[in-house]
Amino acid sequence: MQLNPHYAELNESYLFSTIAHKVAEYQTAHPEADVIRLGIGDVTLPLAKPVIEALHKAVEEMAHKETFRGYGPEQGYDFLREAIRNYYADRGIALELGEIFISDGAKSDLGNLLDLFSVNNTVLVPDPVYPVYVDDNVMAGRTIRYMAANAENNFLPMPDETTQADIVYLCSPNNPTGATYTTAQLAQWVRWAKEHHAVILFDAAYECFVSEEGCARSIYEVEGAKEVAVEVCSFSKIAGFTGTRCGYTVVPFAIQSEGQSLNKMWLRRQTTKFNGVPYIVQRGAEAVFTEEGMREIQQNLDYYRNNAAVIAAALDEAGVWYCGGKNSPYIWLRCPNGMGSWEFFDWLLDTAHIVGTPGEGFGPCGKGYFRLTAFGDAQRTKEAAERLKTVLAKL
């Protein structure tokens, strides 16, 4: 038996596992500490009422022979795919039903899509970056190149004449920095991809938070993007499905290479390796796009946006530089007093009992930066903001 040697090239532990271990150790040593978690990007509000009602109805259907559902279509039920197509159409983006595939979340598909590409392809990822992009490709043994996302380029790296790669990961609004590409900037990436016969894997998991004019919610807002870009999205952030698990991926018919259709390859991959998302969950996801569903979900998004504004105001008062928080639920701050990311993590946990995410865990360019999330409880977020102002004033 031979094991995959590339797993030995991974970091010893996953970023969020390390954080959980450190926090558990701290709480064991300080059981009296009231720790507020502003680290991992998990939502805290319950599912919208229309979603819950749809889930209950679907469960009841499973109790009767006439409405019971067994295996469903691996690419997703048409009722949900049609709802997603209409969601895009409302923003002026035309998709074919066969281009939409339902998944159990963006994280899965961002890794599974790699089944379609040779390990000889070179992958380009921004730094800092969501660790999944890197680890998926390390496991496969691909060559990975990095493009620096830093304060100088507003954490939005752009292609130039030296940019060379076959597969490019773009995340906008970005995790962890919150930076968001404009449609004009994405148009440059689409032109580059066409010129270099590359494919863009566009992670749009946070598109629902985009509010500033000119910022893109989908790469398909760019003309010609359907020839070079696959878009991956999730119900986790827009509708709180982090525990329910549902997402979708758009693989356009227009993406072709050497006579092969990426869409047909993905369909074959999914029908071979995936049994689809449960019918019950898909009915719940469909309810997201109802008028009542969208109204309640927008209220939830405003709740998180307000949390971001509370954190931002505390940092403004403390004179700490940050970005994000407007088109994204994440605040990306520069660690004060020249602290390192993990140094600031330990200091913040010990002095304010607040958990955040060290920027260094997202890549070398994250050194000296720190991520806070707005996905917490509003009252606890306000309390965390007060603690932040108090401890930062003492530095």
Side-chain angles (χ1 to χ4, degrees):
M1 177 182 68
Q2 287 187 329
L3 300 178
N4 185 338
H6 299 296
Y7 276 67
E9 300 167 19
L10 294 167
N11 289 330
E12 287 188 14
S13 64
Y14 187 56
L15 169 62
F16 298 108
S17 299
T18 302
I19 291 173
H21 179 71
K22 288 174 74 72
V23 173
E25 280 191 337
Y26 183 83
Q27 290 191 299
T28 298
H30 304 85
E32 77 289 350
D34 178 22
V35 175
I36 299 178
R37 298 172 184 268
L38 299 181
I40 193 168
D42 196 2
V43 295
T44 52
L45 293 176
L47 298 172
K49 183 179 178 181
V51 172
I52 292 295
E53 291 174 347
L55 290 171
H56 281 303
K57 182 179 178 181
V59 168
E60 184 61 30
E61 288 180 42
M62 301 299 277
H64 305 280
K65 185 175 181 180
E66 299 78 17
T67 51
F68 172 79
R69 304 279 182 136
Y71 288 123
E74 294 89 347
Q75 63 270 41
Y77 285 98
D78 282 354
F79 61 77
L80 180 53
R81 299 163 84 197
E82 187 65 46
I84 292 168
R85 181 166 69 169
N86 291 336
Y87 180 62
Y88 276 83
D90 288 343
R91 291 178 273 149
I93 298 170
L95 298 177
E96 299 293 331
L97 204 65
E99 295 177 318
I100 301 168
F101 296 80
I102 308 304
S103 73
D104 61 358
K107 183 177 182 179
S108 299
D109 275 7
L110 286 164
N112 294 335
L113 281 162
L114 297 173
D115 282 1
L116 309 186
F117 303 99
S118 165
V119 295
N120 296 322
N121 284 306
T122 297
V123 176
L124 183 65
V125 297
D127 172 16
V129 68
Y130 181 41
V132 170
Y133 306 163
V134 174
D135 289 357
D136 282 337
N137 284 284
V138 170
M139 292 173 186
R142 287 186 181 84
T143 298
I144 304 174
R145 293 176 180 166
Y146 297 89
M147 47 183 173
N150 50 42
E152 287 68 35
N153 58 25
N154 296 314
F155 295 96
L156 295 169
M158 299 297 297
D160 57 32
E161 63 278 1
T162 66
T163 305
Q164 297 292 329
D166 303 298
I167 303 169
V168 180
Y169 283 86
L170 296 180
C171 179
S172 180
N174 183 267
N175 177 15
T177 68
T180 306
Y181 280 109
T182 65
T183 305
Q185 288 173 318
L186 289 180
Q188 294 183 49
W189 273 110
V190 168
R191 285 196 297 272
W192 173 88
K194 288 183 177 183
E195 291 170 0
H196 291 79
H197 307 288
V199 66
I200 297 170
L201 302 184
F202 188 76
D203 185 349
Y206 299 92
E207 58 83 20
C208 57
F209 282 94
V210 174
S211 58
E212 291 185 310
E213 187 174 350
C215 291
R217 292 177 60 185
S218 168
I219 197 168
Y220 301 130
E221 294 174 27
V222 176
E223 185 176 355
K226 290 181 70 175
E227 299 170 27
V228 294
V230 172
E231 184 159 294
V232 181
C233 204
S234 168
F235 287 94
S236 289
K237 310 308 178 185
I238 187 174
F241 273 50
T242 52
T244 314
R245 305 312 306 149
C246 194
Y248 56 90
T249 294
V250 180
V251 185
F253 291 128
I255 303 179
Q256 306 270 339
S257 181
E258 298 179 345
Q260 285 187 289
S261 162
L262 200 68
N263 180 283
K264 288 183 178 179
M265 291 175 67
W266 183 241
L267 177 61
R268 180 56 186 271
R269 190 269 173 206
Q270 292 299 81
T271 54
T272 300
K273 294 188 174 186
F274 186 53
N275 268 337
V277 175
Y279 169 75
I280 295 167
V281 173
Q282 292 193 55
R283 279 300 187 190
E286 178 193 25
V288 168
F289 300 109
T290 63
E291 183 177 349
E292 185 182 352
M294 290 304 294
R295 181 168 56 251
E296 185 172 338
I297 283 163
Q298 286 304 317
Q299 292 173 355
N300 290 351
L301 293 175
D302 286 341
Y303 178 98
Y304 295 132
R305 290 188 182 103
N306 186 66
N307 283 349
V310 168
I311 296 170
L315 296 176
D316 284 334
E317 186 172 327
V320 174
W321 182 95
Y322 66 91
C323 65
K326 292 183 179 179
N327 300 304
S328 163
Y330 297 126
I331 301 287
W332 182 250
L333 62 97
R334 184 179 292 126
C335 297
N337 285 14
M339 287 189 194
S341 298
W342 284 106
E343 180 186 4
F344 185 66
F345 173 91
D346 292 333
W347 178 84
L348 193 62
L349 179 58
D350 191 47
T351 59
H353 305 325
I354 294 173
V355 177
T357 310
E360 189 173 341
F362 297 100
C365 285
K367 290 181 179 179
Y369 290 92
F370 202 76
R371 192 192 76 175
L372 295 174
T373 176
F375 279 129
D377 170 79
Q379 190 56 45
R380 295 289 277 170
T381 299
K382 290 178 182 177
E383 185 176 344
E386 290 302 315
R387 293 185 193 180
L388 272 173
K389 288 189 290 185
T390 299
V391 298
L392 289 172
K394 296 178 181 177
L395 279 176

